[in-house]
Amino acid sequence: MEIQETGLKDCLIIKPRLFDDSRGYFFESFNQTTFESKTGLSGNFVQDNQSFSSYGVIRALHAQKGEYAQAKLVRVLSGKVLDVAVDARKGSPTYSQHVAVELSAENKLQLYVPRGFLHGFAVLSETAEFFYKCDNYYNKESEQGVMYNDPTLNINWVIPQEKQLISDKDLILNSFASLSNE
């Protein structure tokens, strides 16, 4: 496992060690002991989630707050996405900054998104299957989000505006400036 810094504290790109031969390939997608020793971060994941989406889907910027905040380890099982993490930790030196990383089945990269970050992605391939591990359970009452096209964040989602597919729920999210971070 190779760890790459993103410029945002504790938000990391993880490149697995790939073993391939004439039969195909194998890699260890997660090992808690290795993760913790290489990053100094907890790898105690308790919930796995998976989604399937078509080209142009933008799953906007979401997080959970308070005692239900979640760190996530995300990757793509098929297809390709632009994965975005925004530092929403008030007082952080990289507060309001974001990182955008292309994750694909081909490159097998993973992104570790710390607690206190917003997270979203845009599907760049015909379809994509997205998988993520969470270190805390989902709690609907603790959910918060920011509109995908917030002018303060100025995220380039790569998808042309006329091809963007955004849920009704994501179209009415608040601005980054109004975000509460408990």
Side-chain angles (χ1 to χ4, degrees), residues 80-112:
K80 176 171 58 172
V81 307
L82 180 72
D83 199 66
V84 177
V86 178
D87 189 346
R89 302 170 299 179
K90 291 184 177 165
S92 168
T94 57
Y95 178 75
S96 81
Q97 294 178 27
H98 73 274
V99 63
V101 180
E102 188 175 290
L103 303 179
S104 70
E106 186 176 297
N107 70 21
K108 296 173 186 41
L109 296 178
Q110 298 180 69
L111 185 67
Y112 178 79

Side-chain angles (χ1 to χ4, degrees), residues 46-47 49 62-64 68-70 72 132 134-144 169:
V46 297
Q47 180 176 318
N49 300 317
H62 294 273
Q64 292 201 161
Y68 293 100
Q70 295 176 320
K72 298 174 182 173
Y132 52 108
C134 301
D135 76 343
N136 204 352
Y137 297 104
Y138 174 76
N139 179 275
K140 185 172 179 49
E141 291 74 35
S142 299
E143 190 175 3
Q144 62 182 353
K169 175 184 168 184

